[in-house]
Amino acid sequence: MKKENVTIYDIAKEANVSPATVSRVLTGNAKVRPQTTRKIVDVIEKYNFRPNSLARSLFHKQSKTIGFILPDINHPFFSTLVQSSEAHALELGYTTFLCNTRNNSENESKYLQSLVEKQVDGIIYLGGRINDTDTDQEYAEEMKTVMERIPVVFVNGQMNGVDAHIVRTDEESGIEKLVELLLNLNHKKIGFLGGKEGISSTDVKRNTFVKMMENKGISVNEDWVLGTGFSIESGEEVAGQLLNLKDRPTAVICANDFVAIGVIKVLTKFGLTVPDDVSVVGFDDIYLAQHFPPGITTVSQNYDHLGQTAINVLVNLINEKEAERETVIPTSLVLRDSCRIFSE
Amino acid sequence: MKKENVTIYDIAKEANVSPATVSRVLTGNAKVRPQTTRKIVDVIEKYNFRPNSLARSLFHKQSKTIGFILPDINHPFFSTLVQSSEAHALELGYTTFLCNTRNNSENESKYLQSLVEKQVDGIIYLGGRINDTDTDQEYAEEMKTVMERIPVVFVNGQMNGVDAHIVRTDEESGIEKLVELLLNLNHKKIGFLGGKEGISSTDVKRNTFVKMMENKGISVNEDWVLGTGFSIESGEEVAGQLLNLKDRPTAVICANDFVAIGVIKVLTKFGLTVPDDVSVVGFDDIYLAQHFPPGITTVSQNYDHLGQTAINVLVNLINEKEAERETVIPTSLVLRDSCRIFSE
DNA sequence: CTGTTAGCGCTTTCAT
DNA sequence: ATGAAAGCGCTAACAG
């Protein structure tokens, strides 16, 4: 059923020219007599001919394609970031392969190999193994082998022993803004919920939180530092644990907005009001943060900035130009209605 | 910097065999002496050699790749559906190209061309132009030209004059279930909110709603049938319009869950309680439906079923096997807490 | 300005 | 069981 493929040879024959000339009008890389061009263009349109990009890439040894590896396209953080990055890549002439690993390390490996075989020109790596605080050495080796052939940019991650180019959100300062905000609102009993130990972004956020509190001379109650993951469900879980405590915090910082949503849900169900009884803040500023009642105060990841920078660094690498080893993207505090001043 | 590519010739030379033999161990398509195989495998591993899939695809005239065209990867409906489909495609040996058009018709055209050039074996089309009730003839022509070369499956859409294979959710019966539910709960003053006229899924849903109501001898108040889009914001907008009315419905069916969320948000802000004052139901069962208070009663799209069927049909088409012209996927009602019995 | 030719990396007859 | 050779569709020297 599939119509036989029309090739540049067919076009050439019908237009009474050589394939090379057809190629020239296709690429626009050499002068062709206007008259000849016309003739060729006509035939091309007649057959709706499209050049085979596989053949083209094979010749050029570059595919004008960028691969994305990410753990979960369903998570707004990733889908938003991908959306920004992809749009920018497209402007720069690159199409993208999206590899959604569904939080599975094996899939990460498979996709990595697949991207190598597909001859992508570069890879943007988000989440997954580059977020483990303790790098698995096997994965690191695999990563290095890939990086010998293909430029890779890590977004919000790193791997011990792997000297990659990194673009990352300034999570430390994001948390600092949140802690300062709560402190200014008179909160002293502050908890940190969500995330997972051993995942670097969680560790960074928690440590920053603890350090800041200590600097202010406020001790952190360890019962209030809980985390089992990054999902809404996980937020519900830790909020449940918190409610079992006699002594509870008056404010909590959540590892991300999903966790904050879960926490707010459970608190509300329990009869507490956010922000009147407990202040809750999140991280990421996913689109839901503004919609989930009462509107979540959070820290924006500045998706466009983050995504575009990642692409720019990668494209520089692809073109063997200079590129910053590490770029830190500033965050911004987004004030909404999920926290308020504490008054006994 | 980029290491020179190792090819099958390099492997052959180092293993003292011909490229053909290396190819044979790579594909496993012909017998090779175990001893020879060993030797070759060793060299392959030594260099971490990966075959160039571009060259392979060029030869085979098939890329083992499926393209997805979709309007918005940020929308949970699409990201969830893609996740299901993609996983299934992978099991069948296909990798996927995701083309996120960001609700832009021009992008649709560009991506369509790009997929042709990239020699994808098939295309899954979601949303966008296949959702216009009045098909743009230019787009239809473009679609047809593509379909002469590449099998295409439409998911939840259709184009007048384009004889495509279709896999779709049974939206009619989904709406019927919702209307019946509300009727059983004694509601008579029911509205339909969200969606956009001229978008087929909206038209189908609205028409089904109106027809059912008429069948039951209940007249539909036209002021209660409002829609400006599919987003949360759009739900907020129409809810605002509804609140301006003196005579308001006691229940509303929303074109999708996003709209329902927007509606609930505004109603709540206005001081009304869902479901006590107004019942609200949605459509899609995105993951948020269970999390957004009070928990949204909705109709599930059965994502896995829908996605896998679409892939199955497409793969059958690719392999020139029989495939259903149109497959209808049943929906299921998901009861939560956003509606209740009406009692004056 | 245009045609001839070689080759990108791989696979598969066709011989041996 | 293995090698030699042609070809997938395209492009870029190199001639003319």
Side-chain angles (χ1 to χ4, degrees):
Chain A
M1 194 90 313
K2 198 171 167 180
K3 212 201 250 176
E4 258 332 286
N5 274 329
V6 176
T7 75
I8 174 177
Y9 286 91
D10 303 318
I11 304 295
K13 194 181 297 173
E14 181 139 348
N16 290 313
V17 295
S18 78
T21 307
V22 178
S23 172
R24 282 189 262 261
V25 340
L26 247 28
T27 60
N29 285 337
K31 267 135 246 315
V32 176
R33 190 146 39 104
Q35 194 183 332
T36 320
T37 307
R38 263 214 76 70
K39 207 170 41 175
I40 295 175
V41 168
D42 283 348
V43 183
I44 288 180
E45 283 177 354
K46 172 175 171 195
Y47 289 102
N48 268 297
F49 167 76
R50 298 283 149 198
N52 182 328
S53 76
L54 260 30
R56 193 176 267 183
S57 298
L58 184 59
F59 177 88
H60 279 123
K61 297 190 178 187
Q62 56 160 332
S63 58
K64 281 291 184 180
T65 296
I66 290 174
F68 280 75
I69 295 196
L70 79 174
D72 181 8
I73 191 62
N74 263 315
H75 195 299
F77 171 72
F78 294 112
S79 64
T80 307
L81 187 52
V82 162
Q83 179 124 345
S84 297
S85 314
E86 206 183 355
H88 189 58
L90 208 61
E91 285 170 10
L92 268 38
Y94 290 86
T95 53
T96 55
F97 260 118
L98 226 61
C99 303
N100 182 32
T101 65
R102 280 161 287 140
N103 286 303
N104 178 323
S105 297
E106 276 182 49
N107 283 345
E108 283 185 50
S109 297
K110 276 190 213 157
Y111 275 128
L112 218 36
Q113 299 309 334
S114 163
L115 289 179
V116 173
E117 294 179 6
K118 285 187 152 55
Q119 314 291 119
V120 297
D121 297 335
I123 295 176
I124 300 275
Y125 216 114
L126 310 165
R129 65 180 60 168
I130 68 165
N131 270 337
D132 296 335
T133 303
D134 294 321
T135 303
D136 179 309
Q137 277 315 304
E138 208 173 310
Y139 292 158
E141 288 310 317
E142 191 180 43
M143 203 63 240
K144 281 197 245 179
T145 337
V146 171
M147 287 170 57
E148 283 172 11
R149 303 161 148 86
I150 305 177
V152 177
V153 169
F154 290 173
V155 177
N156 285 1
Q158 101 331 314
M159 286 186 107
N160 292 332
V162 179
D163 187 25
H165 287 252
I166 293 175
V167 176
R168 66 177 181 85
T169 299
D170 191 348
E171 294 175 314
E172 294 88 339
S173 90
I175 291 292
E176 284 168 13
K177 288 171 190 161
L178 254 16
V179 176
E180 262 163 28
L181 171 70
L182 294 176
L183 255 22
N184 287 339
L185 292 172
N186 273 338
H187 290 279
K188 295 209 160 46
K189 299 168 71 172
I190 305 177
F192 186 96
L193 299 184
K196 213 184 258 175
E197 207 172 328
I199 302 295
S200 55
S201 72
T202 301
D203 290 348
V204 166
K205 287 172 184 165
R206 272 196 198 172
N207 293 342
T208 308
F209 163 68
V210 170
K211 202 171 56 195
M212 273 212 61
M213 294 293 278
E214 284 172 353
N215 283 350
K216 303 285 178 179
I218 305 172
S219 70
V220 173
N221 185 332
E222 285 187 9
D223 291 343
W224 301 341
V225 180
L226 303 165
T228 60
F230 302 90
S231 62
I232 296 182
E233 287 78 4
S234 148
E236 297 179 303
E237 193 180 339
V238 288
Q241 296 175 23
L242 208 63
L243 288 171
N244 285 333
L245 268 32
K246 291 150 295 281
D247 188 26
R248 301 192 200 122
T250 63
V252 292
I253 296 172
C254 299
N256 69 21
D257 292 336
F258 259 8
V259 170
I261 287 173
V263 168
I264 293 175
K265 236 185 103 178
V266 167
L267 257 32
T268 308
K269 193 164 290 175
F270 187 75
L272 295 174
T273 305
V274 175
D276 296 342
D277 298 314
V278 186
S279 287
V280 177
V281 298
F283 206 104
D284 285 353
D285 196 24
I286 59 177
Y287 66 89
L288 271 176
Q290 65 177 296
H291 291 300
F292 199 88
I296 301 171
T297 290
T298 187
V299 166
S300 167
Q301 290 261 3
N302 290 329
Y303 295 93
D304 285 345
H305 192 1
L306 186 60
Q308 290 178 13
T309 307
I311 295 292
N312 286 340
V313 170
L314 185 61
V315 170
N316 279 340
L317 253 30
I318 291 174
N319 297 326
E320 305 192 345
K321 290 198 213 143
E322 291 290 311
E324 289 289 335
R325 209 78 214 165
E326 178 164 2
T327 315
V328 179
I329 309 295
T331 57
S332 34
L333 190 62
V334 181
L335 295 173
R336 297 208 180 86
D337 301 314
S338 64
C339 55
R340 53 159 295 181
I341 197 159
F342 173 73
S343 49
E344 192 64 39
Chain B
M1 194 89 310
K2 198 170 167 181
K3 212 202 248 175
E4 258 333 285
N5 274 329
V6 176
T7 76
I8 177 177
Y9 286 91
D10 303 319
I11 305 295
K13 194 181 298 174
E14 181 139 346
N16 288 315
V17 295
S18 78
T21 307
V22 178
S23 172
R24 283 189 260 262
V25 340
L26 246 28
T27 61
N29 286 338
K31 269 137 245 317
V32 177
R33 189 145 41 103
Q35 192 182 335
T36 321
T37 306
R38 262 214 77 69
K39 208 168 42 174
I40 295 175
V41 168
D42 284 348
V43 183
I44 287 179
E45 283 178 352
K46 172 174 171 195
Y47 289 101
N48 268 296
F49 167 76
R50 298 285 148 196
N52 181 329
S53 75
L54 260 30
R56 192 176 271 183
S57 299
L58 185 58
F59 178 89
H60 278 123
K61 296 187 176 191
Q62 58 160 329
S63 58
K64 281 293 184 177
T65 296
I66 290 174
F68 280 74
I69 296 197
L70 78 173
D72 181 8
I73 191 62
N74 262 316
H75 195 299
F77 170 71
F78 294 111
S79 65
T80 307
L81 187 53
V82 162
Q83 179 124 343
S84 297
S85 315
E86 205 183 356
H88 189 58
L90 208 60
E91 284 170 10
L92 267 38
Y94 290 86
T95 51
T96 55
F97 260 117
L98 226 61
C99 303
N100 182 33
T101 66
R102 280 161 287 139
N103 286 303
N104 178 322
S105 297
E106 277 182 49
N107 284 345
E108 282 185 50
S109 297
K110 275 190 214 158
Y111 275 127
L112 217 38
Q113 300 309 335
S114 164
L115 289 179
V116 173
E117 295 180 6
K118 286 186 151 55
Q119 314 291 118
V120 297
D121 297 334
I123 295 176
I124 300 275
Y125 216 114
L126 309 165
R129 63 179 62 169
I130 68 166
N131 270 337
D132 296 336
T133 302
D134 294 321
T135 302
D136 179 309
Q137 277 315 307
E138 207 175 313
Y139 292 160
E141 287 311 315
E142 191 179 45
M143 203 64 239
K144 282 197 245 178
T145 337
V146 171
M147 287 171 56
E148 283 171 11
R149 303 161 148 85
I150 306 177
V152 177
V153 170
F154 290 173
V155 177
N156 285 2
Q158 104 326 317
M159 287 184 105
N160 292 330
V162 180
D163 186 27
H165 287 253
I166 293 175
V167 176
R168 66 177 182 85
T169 299
D170 191 348
E171 294 175 315
E172 294 88 341
S173 90
I175 291 292
E176 284 167 14
K177 287 172 190 161
L178 254 15
V179 177
E180 260 162 29
L181 172 71
L182 293 177
L183 256 22
N184 286 339
L185 292 174
N186 274 338
H187 291 278
K188 295 211 160 45
K189 299 167 68 172
I190 305 177
F192 186 95
L193 299 184
K196 213 185 261 175
E197 208 173 327
I199 302 295
S200 56
S201 73
T202 300
D203 290 349
V204 166
K205 287 173 185 164
R206 273 196 198 171
N207 293 342
T208 308
F209 163 68
V210 171
K211 201 171 56 196
M212 275 212 61
M213 293 293 278
E214 284 173 353
N215 283 350
K216 302 285 177 179
I218 306 172
S219 69
V220 172
N221 185 331
E222 286 186 9
D223 290 344
W224 302 340
V225 180
L226 303 165
T228 59
F230 303 89
S231 63
I232 297 182
E233 286 78 4
S234 147
E236 297 179 302
E237 195 180 338
V238 288
Q241 296 173 23
L242 208 64
L243 288 172
N244 285 332
L245 268 32
K246 291 150 294 280
D247 187 26
R248 300 192 200 123
T250 63
V252 293
I253 297 173
C254 299
N256 69 20
D257 292 336
F258 259 8
V259 171
I261 286 174
V263 169
I264 293 175
K265 238 185 101 178
V266 167
L267 257 33
T268 308
K269 194 165 290 175
F270 187 75
L272 295 174
T273 306
V274 174
D276 296 341
D277 299 313
V278 186
S279 287
V280 177
V281 298
F283 205 104
D284 286 353
D285 196 23
I286 59 176
Y287 68 87
L288 271 177
Q290 65 177 297
H291 291 301
F292 199 88
I296 301 171
T297 290
T298 187
V299 167
S300 168
Q301 291 260 4
N302 290 329
Y303 295 93
D304 284 345
H305 193 1
L306 186 60
Q308 289 178 13
T309 306
I311 296 291
N312 287 340
V313 170
L314 185 62
V315 170
N316 279 341
L317 254 31
I318 291 174
N319 297 326
E320 304 190 348
K321 289 197 214 146
E322 291 289 311
E324 288 289 335
R325 208 80 214 162
E326 176 162 3
T327 315
V328 179
I329 308 296
T331 57
S332 32
L333 190 61
V334 181
L335 295 172
R336 298 210 179 86
D337 303 313
S338 63
C339 55
R340 52 158 297 179
I341 197 159
F342 173 73
S343 48
E344 192 64 38

